[in-house]
């Protein structure tokens, strides 16, 4: 089996080319093959398949694509495996052209490093032969095109290195044709154009080589408004004057050619008889982590010279370990720079000190290289020129630590391509041309624990592993905080780790605890804070009030009381100062310790109360927009408070965008609604709570649903609005129902009904519905029908179709439980029609499910199967997952009745898995009973008895009488199948007594 994706997609089984299916299936497969061996999440597969316009059933369709691919590909189930929330392609070494391309590239690099250019050329040629064009021939959509562009860069890097090595090995004329083809396809790549110019010149075609430079210069000016780069310009000048370094020859390496450009030795060149200067600080013996960043620094430092000074910057927040990383890398690289390793603290962010002037730093550097004071020029310009002349003759490593800005750094940079400059700063210097920057994040939890172990010792950390993990979390992966805490523990041997953890747990004193001697996290953060102007400091303080882990531009604009553009500028300034983090484009966040610092520097003039009011108003409008998108039949209640900038709301054009926004913001929303309640913003708290409940219901988060419901009720009790209080009480009663507290729910809904009756018909109708639902769950079916009939009539009178549909499904549920299947079918069908017309996808799933159960009750299995098939097509396991489990369980039951035994078993187990992970006790009891019947009918009475027993225990705990009866009935049937007649008769008697008490018909007692 082999797949080729470097071009149009091909799948081969031996000599037979596979038919891989539809374009959507090909996109899904290619997305998996682009990341072989890695789990690709469902969201990425959806984006790859449909770009920005996925259908509502995208997740389901991706699963169908995967199933089809597994069928089309021999042994496809082993090749595409389910992995967590996505899928993973499992391939051997020679089964994918991308694997081979990557491996050949690696071998070529090793061959070059080992001085075997001929071998490297062979590997590179193999890479180029594998390349057939863009992935999926450029027809793969935005996600695949983005990956293809990255692969195209790798392809061009391989091509450029291939031609460079061929030129070094003496080839020239035979390279011109292939080079012209590539230059035509990529006319703006200067490196490629330089290879062509050199090939033409060495083939005796100097005029054509110079013409190529003219062409690319005109093209760059026309297309980009820039001139050719320094390297291409220097090559042009060398060709123009027939310089020896471009003459036809066979140098051993790029370094040999570069050596020809070095000026004649200066009289002050370092003598090998004297020790090279080294002013690096000591290397930390317990340096931990930063593997990727360290590897990159070492790679750049060891790479062959490329014609200019190598500059690598390391930026990060104060205390993130920039200096430690740079010093560690410098010690590792020291042998590569035998003429000296120089360290300078530029004091850009040092407490109580002014940043060093470049002139003083240059004097120190020249002095360290042995230049006497009387030879060092006085003015900055001449001193800079002299430094560049001296450094051009040496292989130096220069570590410029704690830099303030690019203006401070530029005069200090050496001029030689044999030198390396490492710069560390709290700000990323985008205006430092020619530099590569590495941003230091926080240490991972594993690296943090390792560092604590290395500093405290294995014996001490092994004695308190949980406390050590907690300490690492409290330090938030900040190396400075980790080192300060361990220093305190080492200096206080009687302290346990847990004792320090307890001290740090108090957020109000955490920063004070993180200090040792002259080192302090608070002092480190204060330097970054004080370096900003007043507007930025004020924004920093107010943003500390934002409760979310992710802050987007619209919510920041609301909090700051400014427009989106100004808010984004402020966020970017704080990001540049590393007082904010950015884990995703457009989303910002605080490190825990930085947020604590922001809250500690609040000032009276910040007007926090108004800022919170603006944020609450923004979230009400945003959640209102999201709910309108996700729940199109929902009724709005009252006037929505205005914000200072109504245009700065998040873009929520479709359900997927709205749901992603809710998923990202819901923790912040929980905090904001609680804060609104405590701050006396009663109406905003009630309105925000109502909006948030729609989302929490959709995701099945019913404990949080009840917490928010109580906040809404408490806020409404402070208002003179019986209608809003009635709705809030009704929502809280729904939370009680989901969590099985039926009597609390009835008390709450009854209060809402009494408040609303005659004055607020909308909330009155809702309370009637919920009372019907609660009484039905307790088995009080007559009361349930009465309440639901009244509620449906009132909804119909008010013209609220969405609530009418919900009440009709609740009534159909009661009718199914009592065995009145034909009436149930009519009500569920009417509810389905209303939901479909409104676009209420999740409610339609629910009504289709109970319509299917009604059809099962009347013996119409095929109609039941058709209804459940429609419901399954609409299902998304992330939306009301417990309800999806109910659909899957009944689908298993129908499949079994229609003879599809294998499908029945698979869906039954999936239903149990889903409801166990995501469902409430009510749904777990219902699903366990249905799946128990499936096992009973498949000849597994032991498993059936176990499941019905679990359902009985769950339902009994909450008084869910109909499911208690179903569980007893199932246990009786399972006992009979196990030849335990006495147990069977006992359970049958208990079930009959319950059925009789609830008024369930004989038809309703059939399993």
């Amino acid at each position: 089996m082999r797949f080729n994706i470097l071009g149009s997609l091909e799948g081969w089984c031996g000599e037979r080319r596979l038919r891989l299916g539809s374009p959507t299936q090909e996109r899904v497969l290619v997305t998996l093959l682009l990341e072989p061996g890695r789990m690709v999440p469902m969201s990425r597969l959806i984006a790859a398949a449909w770009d920005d316009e996925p259908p509502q059933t995208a997740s389901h369709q991706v699963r169908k694509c995967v199933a089809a691919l597994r069928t089309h590909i021999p042994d496809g189930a082993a090749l595409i495996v389910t992995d967590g929330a996505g899928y993973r392609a499992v391939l051997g070494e020679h089964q994918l052209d991308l694997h081979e391309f990557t491996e050949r590239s690696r071998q070529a690099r090793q061959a070059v490093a080992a001085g075997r250019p001929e071998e490297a050329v062979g590997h590179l040629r193999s890479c180029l032969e594998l390349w057939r064009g863009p992935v999926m021939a450029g027809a793969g959509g935005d996600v695949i095109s983005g990956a293809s562009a990255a692969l195209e860069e790798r392809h061009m890097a391989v091509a450029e290195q291939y031609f460079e090595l061929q030129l070094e090995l003496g080839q020239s004329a035979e390279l011109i044709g292939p080079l012209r083809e590539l230059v035509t396809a990529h006319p703006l790549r200067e490196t490629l154009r330089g290879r062509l110019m050199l090939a033409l010149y060495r083939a005796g075609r100097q005029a054509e080589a110079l013409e190529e430079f003219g062409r690319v210069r005109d093209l760059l000016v026309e297309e980009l408004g820039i001139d050719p780069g320094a390297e291409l310009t220097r090559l042009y000048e060398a060709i123009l004057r027939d310089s020896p370094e471009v003459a036809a020859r066979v140098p051993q390496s790029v370094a040999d050619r570069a050596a020809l450009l070095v000026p004649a030795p200066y009289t002050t060149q370092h003598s090998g008889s004297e020790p090279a200067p080294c002013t690096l600080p000591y290397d930390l013996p317990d340096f931990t982590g930063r593997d990727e960043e360290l590897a990159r620094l070492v790679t750049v430092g060891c790479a062959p010279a490329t014609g200019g000074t190598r500059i690598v910057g390391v930026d990060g927040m104060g205390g993130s370990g920039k200096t430690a990383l740079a010093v560690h890398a410098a010690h590792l690289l020291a042998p590569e720079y035998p003429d000296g390793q120089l360290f300078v603290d530029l004091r850009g962010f040092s407490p109580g000190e002014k940043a060093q002037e470049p002139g003083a730093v240059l004097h120190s550097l020249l002095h360290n290289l042995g230049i006497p004071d009387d030879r060092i020029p006085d003015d900055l310009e001449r001193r800079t020129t002299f430094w560049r002349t001296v450094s051009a003759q040496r292989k130096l490593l220069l570590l410029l630590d704690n830099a303030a800005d690019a203006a401070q750094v530029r005069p200090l940079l050496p001029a030689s391509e044999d030198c390396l400059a490492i710069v560390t700063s709290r700000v990323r210097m985008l205006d430092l041309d020619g530099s590569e920057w590495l941003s230091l994040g926080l240490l991972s939890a594993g690296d943090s624990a390792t560092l604590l172990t290395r500093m405290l010792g294995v014996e001490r950390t092994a004695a308190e592993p949980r406390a050590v993990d907690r300490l690492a979390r409290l330090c938030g992966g900040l190396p400075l905080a980790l080192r300060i805490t361990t220093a305190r523990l080492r200096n206080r041997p009687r302290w346990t780790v847990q004792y320090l953890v307890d001290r740090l747990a108090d957020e109000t004193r955490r920063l004070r605890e993180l200090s040792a001697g002259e080192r302090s996290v608070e002092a480190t953060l204060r330097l970054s804070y004080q370096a900003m102007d007043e507007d930025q400091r004020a924004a920093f303080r107010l943003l500390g009030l934002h409760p979310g882990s992710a802050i987007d531009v619209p919510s920041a604009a609301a909090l700051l009381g400014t427009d989106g553009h100004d808010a984004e500028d402020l966020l970017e300034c704080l990001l540049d100062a590393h007082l904010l983090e950015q884990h995703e484009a457009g989303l910002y966040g605080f490190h825990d310790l930085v947020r604590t610092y922001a809250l500690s520097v609040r000032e009276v003039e910040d007007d926090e109360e108004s800022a919170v009011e603006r944020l609450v108003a923004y979230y009400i409008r945003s959640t209102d927009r999201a709910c309108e998108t996700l729940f199109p039949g929902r009724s709005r209640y009252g006037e929505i408070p205005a914000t200072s900038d109504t245009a700065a709301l998040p873009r929520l054009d479709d359900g997927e965008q709205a749901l992603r926004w809710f998923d990202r913001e819901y923790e912040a929303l929980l905090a904001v609604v609680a804060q609104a309640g405590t701050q006396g913003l009663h109406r905003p708290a009630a309105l925000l709570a109502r909006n948030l409940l729609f989302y929490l219901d959709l995701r099945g988060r019913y404990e949080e649903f009840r917490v928010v419901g109580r906040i809404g009720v408490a806020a409404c009790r402070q208002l003179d609005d019986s209608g809003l209080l009635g709705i809030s009480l009704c929502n809280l009663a729904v939370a009680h129902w989901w969590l099985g507290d039926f009597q609390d729910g009835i008390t709450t809904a009854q209060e809402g009904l009494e408040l609303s009756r005659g004055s607020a018909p909308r909330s009155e109708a809702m309370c009637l519905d919920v009372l019907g639902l609660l009484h039905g769950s307790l088995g009080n079916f007559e009361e349930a029908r009465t309440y639901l009939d009244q509620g449906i009539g009132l909804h119909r009178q008010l013209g609220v179709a969405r609530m009418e549909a919900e009440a009709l499904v609740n009534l159909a549920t009661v009718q199914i439980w009592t065995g009145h299947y034909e009436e149930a079918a009519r009500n569920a069908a009417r509810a389905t029609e209303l939901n479909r017309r409104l676009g209420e996808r999740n409610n339609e799933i629910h009504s289709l499910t109970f319509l299917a159960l009604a059809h099962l009750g009347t013996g119409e299995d095929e109609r039941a199967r058709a209804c459940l098939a429609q419901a399954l097509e609409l299902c998304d396991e992330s939306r009301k997952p417990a309800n999806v489990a109910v659909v899957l369980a009944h689908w298993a039951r129908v499949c079994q009745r229609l003879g599809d035994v294998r499908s029945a078993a698979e869906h039954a187990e999936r239903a149990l898995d889903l409801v166990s992970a995501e469902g409430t006790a009510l749904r777990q009891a219902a699903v366990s009973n249905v799946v128990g019947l499936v096992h009973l009918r498949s000849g597994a009475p032991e498993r059936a008895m176990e499941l019905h027993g679990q359902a009985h225990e769950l339902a009994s705990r909450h008084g869910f009488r109909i499911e208690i009866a179903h569980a007893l009935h199932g246990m009786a049937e399972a006992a009979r199948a196990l030849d335990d007649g006495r147990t069977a008769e006992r359970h049958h008697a208990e079930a009959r007594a319950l059925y009789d008490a609830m008024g369930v018909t004989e038809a309703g007692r059939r399993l």
Side-chain angles (χ1 to χ4, degrees):
M1 182 68 58
R2 180 178 172 87
F3 294 93
N4 299 323
I5 62 172
L6 301 178
S8 58
L9 174 62
E10 295 178 351
W12 296 89
C13 183
E15 298 297 321
R16 177 172 64 90
R17 183 165 179 175
L18 302 175
R19 295 175 61 85
L20 297 171
S22 68
T24 302
Q25 290 169 14
E26 288 193 350
R27 286 190 181 192
V28 169
L29 177 59
V30 166
T31 306
L32 292 169
L33 294 176
L34 282 167
E35 301 185 56
R38 295 182 182 177
M39 187 277 283
V40 181
M42 179 66 75
S43 57
R44 183 165 175 81
L45 292 172
I46 290 172
W50 292 283
D51 292 331
D52 294 328
E53 298 181 353
Q56 287 190 336
T57 58
S59 298
H60 182 63
Q61 291 193 39
V62 167
R63 286 191 282 271
K64 288 170 67 176
C65 286
V66 170
L69 288 167
R70 287 169 171 170
T71 302
H72 294 150
I73 299 169
D75 200 18
L79 189 134
I80 303 176
V81 299
T82 303
D83 188 350
Y87 297 95
R88 175 165 48 89
V90 180
L91 294 153
E93 285 186 14
H94 304 294
Q95 288 187 291
L96 182 65
D97 58 353
L98 179 57
H99 260 159
E100 190 173 342
F101 182 92
T102 302
E103 178 60 20
R104 290 283 194 173
S105 301
R106 185 188 64 80
Q107 291 172 347
R109 288 194 299 271
Q110 290 178 340
V112 169
R116 302 192 300 272
E118 295 90 349
E119 180 185 333
V121 165
H123 291 309
L124 295 171
R125 185 183 295 113
S126 297
C127 288
L128 296 176
E129 289 169 354
L130 289 168
W131 187 265
R132 296 174 294 115
V135 178
M136 292 193 76
D142 293 343
V143 171
I144 292 173
S145 294
S148 180
L151 288 175
E152 177 67 22
E153 279 299 314
R154 291 173 59 185
H155 167 237
M156 292 309 301
V158 165
E160 288 169 355
Q161 187 176 27
Y162 170 76
F163 287 113
E164 178 182 14
L165 291 174
Q166 286 281 54
L167 286 164
E168 289 179 3
L169 293 171
Q171 306 294 314
S172 56
E174 54 270 51
L175 304 180
I176 293 171
L179 275 167
R180 282 202 189 280
E181 289 181 15
L182 276 176
V183 166
T184 300
H186 304 275
L188 296 177
R189 290 191 77 95
E190 294 186 41
T191 303
L192 206 57
R193 189 81 66 158
R195 305 284 189 269
L196 176 57
M197 289 168 59
L198 199 56
L200 287 166
Y201 175 76
R202 290 183 179 174
R205 296 154 68 173
Q206 182 185 27
E208 291 180 60
L210 297 173
E211 286 175 4
E212 284 297 328
F213 181 80
R215 288 193 192 97
V216 73
R217 179 180 56 201
D218 294 344
L219 189 62
L220 288 168
V221 170
E222 180 181 347
E223 296 287 333
L224 305 176
I226 61 173
D227 290 322
E231 187 174 350
L232 192 64
T233 302
R234 189 165 62 249
L235 176 62
Y236 164 74
E237 292 170 350
I239 292 173
L240 186 64
R241 64 174 185 267
D242 284 324
S243 181
E245 70 264 22
V246 292
R249 57 195 181 86
V250 188
Q252 293 303 307
S253 67
V254 179
D256 288 343
R257 191 168 70 247
L260 296 172
L261 301 175
V262 176
Y266 187 74
T267 55
T268 56
Q269 187 175 7
H270 170 64
S271 169
S273 60
E274 300 175 4
C278 177
T279 60
L280 297 176
Y282 74 96
D283 192 10
L284 293 174
D286 51 19
F287 181 86
T288 302
R290 309 299 190 197
D291 295 338
E292 291 184 13
E293 295 88 350
L294 182 61
R296 183 58 190 157
L297 282 169
V298 172
T299 298
V300 173
C302 293
T306 56
T309 303
R310 284 162 287 182
I311 310 167
V312 185
V314 180
D315 63 291
M317 68 180 289
S320 61
K322 301 179 294 295
T323 302
L325 170 64
V327 169
H328 188 64
H331 280 283
L332 294 176
L333 289 168
E336 302 290 326
Y337 298 91
D339 295 331
Q341 307 91 41
L342 305 179
F343 173 90
V344 182
D345 180 359
L346 297 179
R347 301 174 191 165
F349 298 87
S350 294
E353 295 189 67
K354 183 181 177 182
Q356 289 216 63
E357 295 294 333
V361 176
L362 287 172
H363 187 283
S364 174
L365 289 170
L366 290 165
H367 188 74
N368 285 331
L369 291 178
I371 307 299
D373 290 347
D374 59 358
R375 298 291 306 277
I376 299 175
D378 293 331
D379 63 281
L380 178 60
E381 183 176 351
R382 290 176 58 226
R383 189 174 291 182
T384 301
T385 302
F386 187 70
W387 160 246
R388 289 173 180 164
T389 303
V390 171
S391 62
Q393 304 165 38
R394 303 169 186 249
K395 294 192 73 171
L396 294 173
L397 188 154
L398 182 62
L399 202 171
L400 302 173
D401 186 48
N402 197 11
D405 52 35
Q408 184 189 32
V409 170
R410 271 192 211 97
L412 311 179
L413 296 174
S416 171
E417 63 182 358
D418 291 325
C419 293
L420 171 67
I422 301 176
V423 182
T424 75
S425 178
R426 296 193 186 188
V427 295
R428 173 170 286 206
M429 301 174 191
L430 300 178
D431 50 347
L432 189 62
D433 295 337
S435 58
E436 174 184 345
W437 284 85
L438 308 174
S439 282
L440 277 197
L442 304 168
L443 287 178
S444 67
D447 285 340
S448 297
T450 300
L451 181 58
L452 288 172
T453 300
R454 288 177 177 174
M455 291 188 291
L456 288 175
V458 175
E459 183 177 345
R460 195 167 184 183
T461 53
E464 298 180 84
R466 291 186 179 178
V468 169
D469 288 344
R470 177 68 177 145
L471 179 60
R473 287 196 298 274
L474 287 169
C475 291
L478 191 66
L480 176 61
L482 291 164
R483 291 191 177 277
I484 288 173
T485 55
T486 52
R488 298 193 74 188
L489 286 169
R490 286 200 303 266
N491 289 336
R492 292 165 175 79
R494 295 185 181 276
W495 280 18
T496 63
V497 178
Q498 184 60 50
Y499 178 75
L500 181 56
V501 165
D502 293 339
R503 293 173 68 98
L504 290 170
D506 183 353
E507 191 172 346
T508 60
R509 60 181 289 180
R510 189 175 302 161
L511 288 176
R512 292 199 302 274
E513 291 291 333
L514 291 174
S515 62
E518 296 181 355
R519 293 194 300 177
S520 160
V521 171
E522 184 175 13
T524 299
L525 295 173
R526 189 187 311 122
L527 289 170
S528 296
Y529 173 71
Q530 292 174 343
M532 299 187 294
D533 61 34
E534 181 50 42
D535 286 346
Q536 293 166 351
R537 289 198 292 268
F540 173 72
R541 295 192 299 269
L542 284 179
L543 287 169
L545 301 174
H546 196 298
S549 57
I551 305 173
D552 62 6
V553 173
S555 64
L559 188 61
L560 299 175
T562 184
D563 64 33
H565 294 300
D566 289 343
E568 186 170 22
D569 289 343
L570 287 166
L571 290 167
E572 286 293 321
C573 288
L574 294 173
L575 179 66
D576 290 340
H578 289 283
L579 289 171
L580 285 179
E581 304 166 336
Q582 188 174 52
H583 303 298
E584 185 180 328
L587 295 179
Y588 307 80
F590 278 102
H591 184 281
D592 288 346
L593 295 176
V594 179
R595 185 190 295 278
T596 300
Y597 179 74
L599 294 174
S600 74
V601 293
R602 290 180 294 178
E603 297 183 3
V604 176
E605 60 267 24
D606 289 340
D607 193 6
E608 295 177 7
E609 196 169 301
S610 296
V612 172
E613 288 180 12
R614 290 192 301 268
L615 186 64
V616 173
Y618 159 79
Y619 272 126
I620 292 173
R621 293 186 65 84
S622 299
T623 54
D624 209 60
R625 176 178 289 184
C627 286
E628 286 175 358
T629 304
L630 283 167
F631 314 103
R634 163 185 175 272
S635 299
R636 179 183 287 183
Y637 189 93
E639 290 297 318
I640 303 301
T643 61
S644 59
D645 183 5
T646 56
L649 295 178
R651 184 174 178 178
L652 305 172
D653 296 333
D654 57 46
E656 290 300 324
Q657 279 187 331
L659 193 55
R660 283 197 298 270
W661 181 85
F662 256 132
D663 286 341
R664 190 185 76 220
E665 296 283 350
Y666 100 94
E667 290 182 350
L669 289 166
L670 290 172
V672 167
V673 75
Q675 190 172 6
T678 57
Q679 196 164 308
L681 303 173
H682 303 307
R683 179 169 291 277
L687 294 174
L688 183 56
R690 178 174 181 256
N691 288 349
L692 181 53
L693 290 177
F694 279 88
Y695 164 76
L696 295 172
D697 177 51
L698 182 64
R699 285 302 196 209
R701 296 180 171 130
Y702 295 110
E703 290 288 354
E704 292 162 333
F705 188 110
R706 182 152 64 182
V707 170
V708 173
R710 283 173 171 155
I711 292 172
V713 168
C716 287
R717 292 194 190 281
Q718 306 302 316
L719 302 170
D720 184 19
D721 190 334
S722 60
L724 187 54
L725 177 55
I727 290 173
S728 299
L729 285 164
C730 181
N731 287 330
L732 180 56
V734 170
H736 289 315
W737 175 78
W738 270 113
L739 296 172
D741 296 329
F742 302 142
Q743 290 297 344
D744 287 346
I746 288 173
T747 302
T748 303
Q750 193 67 49
E751 180 188 354
L753 180 62
E754 291 167 3
L755 279 169
S756 306
R757 200 182 292 278
S759 62
R762 279 173 54 191
S763 63
E764 179 184 350
M766 288 176 62
C767 291
L768 288 166
D769 295 344
V770 176
L771 282 166
L773 182 68
L774 288 157
H775 278 289
S777 300
L778 284 170
N780 306 328
F781 293 139
E782 283 302 319
E783 293 96 323
R785 277 193 290 265
T786 300
Y787 282 123
L788 288 165
D789 282 335
Q790 292 176 18
I792 290 166
L794 196 48
H795 285 311
R796 202 166 283 162
Q797 182 182 332
L798 294 168
V800 185
R802 183 179 192 272
M803 298 308 300
E804 179 187 346
E806 287 191 11
L808 282 167
V809 173
N810 291 338
L811 180 56
T813 303
V814 170
Q815 290 163 339
I816 288 166
W817 285 342
T818 56
H820 298 93
Y821 296 113
E822 292 183 358
E823 296 172 31
R826 285 194 296 273
N827 287 319
R830 172 62 179 158
T832 300
E833 178 188 337
L834 290 172
N835 287 325
R836 195 165 287 167
R837 190 178 75 207
L838 293 169
E840 284 284 354
R841 169 183 167 185
N842 296 291
N843 287 353
E844 185 181 348
I845 294 169
H846 203 44
S847 59
L848 281 167
T849 303
F850 284 91
L851 180 56
L853 297 186
H855 287 318
L856 283 176
T858 58
E860 299 171 282
D861 290 2
E862 284 295 347
R863 294 185 71 180
R865 182 173 188 165
C867 290
L868 288 172
Q870 292 177 54
L872 272 177
E873 185 68 24
L874 294 172
C875 277
D876 176 344
E877 291 183 4
S878 67
R879 302 187 185 199
K880 293 202 173 182
N883 286 358
V884 177
V886 172
V887 178
L888 291 168
H890 286 294
W891 178 257
R893 181 182 169 198
V894 169
C895 287
Q896 186 181 61
R897 286 172 66 152
L898 294 173
D900 189 353
V901 177
R902 179 178 177 184
S903 184
E906 291 176 356
H907 285 88
E909 289 308 309
R910 180 58 191 148
L912 284 176
D913 290 343
L914 191 57
V915 82
S916 298
E918 305 283 355
T920 62
L922 274 61
R923 286 292 186 252
Q924 289 177 23
V927 169
S928 295
N929 271 331
V930 176
V931 175
L933 288 177
V934 173
H935 281 285
L936 182 63
R937 301 287 184 254
S938 66
E942 297 91 347
R943 178 63 171 149
M945 180 66 82
E946 178 187 351
L947 289 167
H948 288 305
Q950 291 173 5
H952 183 265
E953 191 277 328
L954 289 166
S956 298
R957 190 189 307 162
H958 299 286
F960 195 5
R961 289 208 292 169
I962 190 65
E963 292 301 339
I964 297 172
H966 289 162
L968 289 166
H969 197 163
M971 292 162 71
E973 294 295 322
R976 178 173 292 140
L978 292 167
D979 294 328
D980 186 352
R982 180 177 298 178
T983 300
E985 184 51 42
R986 175 165 52 85
H987 289 321
H988 263 307
E990 292 173 335
R992 278 195 302 271
L994 273 175
Y995 285 143
D996 291 341
M998 292 184 289
V1000 177
T1001 66
E1002 286 301 319
R1005 304 184 188 198
R1006 293 197 302 265
L1007 292 181

